[in-house]
Amino acid sequence: MDSGGWGTHAVELAADQVVKRFSSGGGGRAGREWRALTLLAAYAPGLAPVPGTADLAAEEPTVVMSRLAGVPLRGCPLGGEQVKALADAVSELHAAVPADVLRQVPVRPGQQDDLIVQLKEWAVTVRPRVDGLVGRAMDDGLRWLTQSGLSSDDASRVPPVFGPGDGNLANYLWDGSRVRVVDFEDSGRSDRAFELAEITEHVGSWVEHPLDVPAFLACFDLAAAEEARLRDCRRLLALVWLFLLAFDHKNVRNPPGTAERQADRLWRLLA
């Protein structure tokens, strides 16, 4: 999940290719990027950049890929055509990797269990430094979390999918007829409910030109278990974003009052 404030790589753009140079150490990001590009080239050609070369053993690992045409969806008014194309791209991505291959792909980082651990840490380190409306919303969210019953078993009850690992609409490119996808450094095995929640609750989906969430979600035929899980995953991710945005003024990446708006979003989801 992209917080919007943590730099993990540098990007070098050429006319026909992109070089991603990852920071030293990198936490396996370059390897996940390369694995995703090679899998998608095999099973969903045209949806993502074509892999070129990779140096995963370098001190600063690099991945070279083709450059896709298109305009990032983040920050753009999205009509029905773009929303449908986004949903089509997401559906294709989720279903791309065959089940027998997907079983060998590790669970992506930043999934449910990782976020719960992070929230418990923030409850101790961040919550005491926040007051007002945002602090009250944090308390309500943390109270919900302790009673939610979320566990790893929730994900095991729904079908696995391949997840890109970042719901930022900046990673979805509209070329005038279809949407294609970039940025797979946190990709891995996931489930539809969690991945859809990552898109709908990402700050980039509402802070500028809001994504029509009901229209987007209506494009997916979710089973009852997925619907229930989607509700909880949206609440979980909205709470994570509330903590991330609590000190957003230090980076000035979003308009003033974004954290307060996020508090309202969380309360609506908890209602």
Side-chain angles (χ1 to χ4, degrees):
M1 172 180 178
D2 172 23
S3 71
W6 300 331
T8 60
H9 61 267
V11 177
E12 302 168 13
L13 299 176
D16 60 349
Q17 72 173 24
V18 175
V19 179
K20 288 184 75 171
R21 193 175 307 280
F22 293 82
S23 56
S24 180
R29 293 183 177 90
R32 288 189 292 269
E33 182 92 31
W34 182 249
R35 179 179 61 213
L37 293 177
T38 55
L39 285 173
L40 294 174
Y43 300 115
L47 181 62
V50 176
T53 60
D55 186 351
L56 304 181
E59 181 176 349
E60 293 186 338
T62 58
V63 174
V64 181
M65 66 198 78
S66 65
R67 183 172 180 176
L68 298 180
V71 178
L73 292 181
R74 179 168 179 167
C76 296
L78 303 183
E81 185 180 12
Q82 288 81 23
V83 171
K84 178 63 165 58
L86 171 63
D88 288 345
V90 170
S91 293
E92 184 179 0
L93 180 62
H94 288 173
V97 182
D100 59 329
V101 178
L102 186 60
R103 280 193 291 270
Q104 308 306 313
V105 176
V107 173
R108 50 151 292 192
Q111 240 277 1
Q112 171 188 303
D113 289 349
D114 292 341
L115 296 185
I116 291 173
V117 169
Q118 181 67 80
L119 283 167
K120 289 178 178 178
E121 177 185 321
W122 284 339
V124 175
T125 61
V126 176
R127 172 61 192 93
R129 300 158 53 198
V130 181
D131 55 17
L133 180 148
V134 173
R136 294 195 301 274
M138 286 178 175
D139 288 341
D140 289 343
L142 292 169
R143 191 176 304 111
W144 163 80
L145 183 62
T146 62
Q147 301 167 353
S148 68
L150 279 174
S151 70
S152 298
D153 290 342
D154 298 313
S156 68
R157 297 191 187 103
V158 296
V161 303
F162 185 76
D166 190 343
N168 193 343
L169 291 182
N171 298 324
Y172 294 87
L173 308 181
W174 168 250
D175 67 3
S177 60
R178 67 173 296 188
V179 167
R180 293 190 283 181
V181 191
V182 299
D183 197 351
F184 299 98
E185 63 185 61
D186 286 329
S187 61
R189 194 169 76 252
S190 186
D191 65 272
R192 281 203 298 178
F194 188 88
E195 295 301 313
L196 293 177
E198 271 231 321
I199 293 173
T200 65
E201 300 317 308
H202 194 287
V203 67
S205 291
W206 63 266
V207 75
E208 296 156 310
H209 297 284
L211 171 69
D212 186 338
V213 171
F216 174 66
L217 293 179
C219 296
F220 300 88
D221 184 15
L222 301 180
E226 290 177 301
E227 290 277 8
R229 178 162 166 75
L230 175 60
R231 181 175 58 251
D232 281 343
C233 288
R234 290 186 67 185
R235 291 169 171 171
L236 176 66
L237 284 153
L239 180 57
V240 169
W241 273 106
L242 184 62
F243 276 91
L244 289 172
L245 292 168
F247 298 100
D248 186 61
H249 60 276
K250 294 183 178 180
N251 294 322
V252 196
R253 296 185 65 88
N254 295 294
T258 299
E260 287 74 16
R261 292 172 64 195
Q262 180 66 21
D264 286 336
R265 286 180 62 84
L266 176 59
W267 275 323
R268 287 197 297 271
L269 289 169
L270 292 175

